[in-house]
Each structure stands twice: as structure tokens, then as C-alpha cells.
Amino acid sequence: MNDNFAEIYPLDEFAEVCEWLAFKGWSEAEGGNLSLRLEQDQVPDPLKESDTEPVKLPLNVKELAGKYLLITGSGTRSRDIATEPQNDIGLYRISDDGASYQWIFGNDKPTSEMPSHCLVQNEFVKSRPDYKAIIHTHPTKLISLTHVAEFKDPKVLSDCILGLQSEARIQLPEGIGHLPFCVPGSLELGLLSAEEIKHRNVILWNMHGALSVGTSLNHALDQLEVVEKAAEIYWTLRSAGLPTGGMEQEDLLKSMDFFGRVDRYEKAFKDKK
Ligand code: 2HA
Ligand code: ZN
């Protein structure tokens, strides 16, 4: 059965992405966690049902009712997931009333950030159904950005950081979110993340890390790489004492126009303060 689990699911993509997270030094020790939502037809019949004890969720996730999640285990290391993903990733089914989950296979202790993963996945089913993958990790240069007072405002943060390299805002026209400090693993962090993820693909968690989402785990990783690159440019300029004003607005708009992203760019941060 263990071999089947490894063969059936896209665990190799978890392994590949976790290897990069460890290699980049973003998911130190047991830091970071990932999840991927599966469609019914991706789950073979013998693994569809489970007789394990249901575990109550802190909040109802009714959009996820009857759906399946692959999620990394609590206390697991990215560098271990890279080599033996079947030990550290678990398959879960959300109950038909959306109030609890049942463990089905693999690792049976989900990450402490389970509330954020469930609430964001729940929002995706509702408003962005092609989004299935979530990565939470601790990229050094992004965490450092959350220490800059003016970057508490996500619009100021986005306009500065994504204006430092010509393709960054093209990749992320809606900008980057930045949540106020929340206790790691808290329901509050999950609720704020689920609200913000309606509008953005990358969110910074104040003094903690980043949450990135995508249609696949690799898509979520791509976006983290883009934002981390822009942050590296920011810190390089800062340490050289150079200005961080970035692209001329006219050049940025020309690029957005060329790639058909003006609407998305202009709508960013209009949805909410
Ligand atoms: O999984 O990163 O935020 C460990 C964490 C919690
Ligand atoms: Zn974390």
C-alpha cells in the first residue's frame, strides 16, 4: 500500500519543490508546509473512504466537503520530504458537512498551519477553483521586508518591490499582500490569509514568512522565486546605499499594456484598503 501511495499521487512534485525549499534555505529545520487539493477522480477507490476517527476543524469549511487534501506533516523537514515524501505527507478527506477531517493514508499528523491550508483551500473552491496548491515557507529576504515600517501597507510594499525588475509586476499584477502579525498556526492567521488570497497570489506573514499559491506546487514556487528575486534586488540596493525607486511609472505601464495586465494592475488594492 505504501508503494501505491507513492505511485498514485503527485508526491514527486512535493519532493522536488521541498528539495528546492531546503536548498534555498527557506524552510529551515521544520519550517514551512505545503498542501495540494485533489479531485475525486484523482483518488483511487480503495483510498476514498476512511474509518479513522474524525478530527474536528476549528471552523466549518463547507466548500471543501467531501474533498481530499495532501498535506505535509507536523514536525517534518523539507530536506526529508525531498527524499521520502511518502513518510511525511498525509492524505485527508474533509467530511460531508465540512466540520471535520479524516486521515486516510501516509503521515497522520497534519502541519500546525492546517487552519490556514484548510481555509485558503476552502476559499479556492469558492472563488478560484483552478488554484489547488499552497506553499508556506520562510524566505529570509521576504521576512526582512516585513520589518520595514512603510511596507506594512501592502500597496507601498508591492509598488516598491515589484517595480525593481521589469518582469516582477507582470508576473504578479495584483501585488503582494502583507498581513499584520499573527501567532503561527492560529485560526486568525488562517482567516486573514483566506480573505487576502481572494486578491493575491503571494502574501507575507509579518515577522514569519510567506504564503504562495498556484495551480500547481511548481507554480506557487515560481511566484516565490520572482518575489524573492525582487527582494534581493531591494536589499542589494539598500546595502550599497543606492535608491530603490525602481522603474519609471511610464515604463511599468508600457510593460503591463504589452502583456495585457493593465486592468489587473489598476484594480489591485482597490478591492480593499
Ligand atoms: O510548519 O512554518 O508556521 C512550521 C511552520 C509554522
Ligand atoms: Zn512558518
Side-chain angles (χ1 to χ4, degrees):
M1 193 53 135
N2 208 343
D3 286 348
N4 283 352
F5 184 55
E7 276 165 27
I8 291 163
Y9 294 111
L11 296 192
D12 46 351
E13 196 178 1
F14 272 87
E16 183 194 339
V17 167
C18 285
E19 183 171 18
W20 279 106
L21 295 177
F23 182 69
K24 286 170 181 290
W26 293 354
S27 282
E28 75 290 348
E30 297 165 358
N33 30 77
L34 292 77
S35 72
L36 184 71
R37 196 175 71 257
L38 299 174
E39 297 302 328
Q40 288 271 345
D41 61 5
Q42 290 178 283
V43 181
D45 287 340
L47 294 182
K48 279 206 164 80
E49 298 299 328
S50 163
D51 53 12
T52 60
E53 199 56 37
V55 179
K56 217 173 152 29
L57 282 160
L59 215 71
N60 192 291
V61 286
K62 70 174 192 317
E63 305 291 337
L64 281 181
K67 298 204 181 294
Y68 297 86
L69 293 179
L70 284 172
I71 188 157
T72 51
S74 169
T76 57
R77 300 185 185 96
S78 246
R79 61 181 188 271
D80 291 341
I81 301 172
T83 54
E84 293 197 288
Q86 69 277 14
N87 292 344
D88 290 340
I89 296 164
L91 174 67
Y92 298 86
R93 181 182 184 276
I94 308 296
S95 61
D96 292 330
D97 62 2
S100 60
Y101 65 82
Q102 273 178 300
W103 168 71
I104 300 179
F105 208 80
N107 185 292
D108 63 356
K109 290 181 201 62
T111 169
S112 57
E113 301 291 0
M114 183 79 164
S116 285
H117 285 271
C118 282
L119 291 166
V120 170
Q121 293 281 6
N122 188 62
E123 181 55 44
F124 284 157
V125 177
K126 197 160 40 173
S127 59
R128 310 177 66 184
D130 53 331
Y131 276 68
K132 297 170 190 303
I134 303 175
I135 300 176
H136 160 58
T137 185
H138 301 163
T140 315
K141 297 180 191 83
L142 296 187
I143 297 167
S144 304
L145 293 179
T146 72
H147 292 247
V148 178
E150 64 257 34
F151 292 163
K152 281 206 162 45
D153 179 338
K155 181 174 177 349
V156 174
L157 166 76
S158 301
D159 289 347
C160 173
I161 297 302
L162 301 178
L164 293 172
Q165 196 266 348
S166 60
E167 289 178 24
R169 195 73 192 230
I170 293 168
Q171 297 290 334
L172 290 151
E174 289 84 8
I176 318 163
H178 181 186
L179 299 185
F181 180 80
C182 297
V183 174
S186 61
L187 181 59
E188 183 192 20
L189 183 56
L191 287 166
L192 290 177
S193 297
E195 178 57 32
E196 187 67 13
I197 216 68
K198 289 179 190 168
H199 314 290
R200 264 155 286 281
N201 285 0
V202 176
I203 304 174
L204 304 189
W205 286 353
N206 187 261
M207 312 269 167
H208 180 165
L211 186 89
S212 180
V213 300
T215 53
S216 66
L217 290 170
N218 266 302
H219 180 214
L221 179 60
D222 288 343
Q223 295 175 102
L224 280 173
E225 288 184 332
V226 169
V227 179
E228 171 82 2
K229 164 68 63 86
E232 183 167 359
I233 296 167
Y234 176 82
W235 292 116
T236 305
L237 294 170
R238 284 282 301 260
S239 32
L242 291 168
T244 55
M247 293 171 72
E248 296 295 335
Q249 185 65 8
E250 188 193 337
D251 294 337
L252 187 116
L253 280 173
K254 245 195 289 181
S255 306
M256 301 309 283
D257 188 37
F258 188 77
F259 286 89
R261 312 258 154 110
V262 173
D263 266 14
R264 287 167 64 189
Y265 167 69
E266 287 184 342
K267 264 198 230 136
F269 304 103
K270 295 245 166 75
D271 40 63
K272 64 201 273 279
K273 167 58 213 76

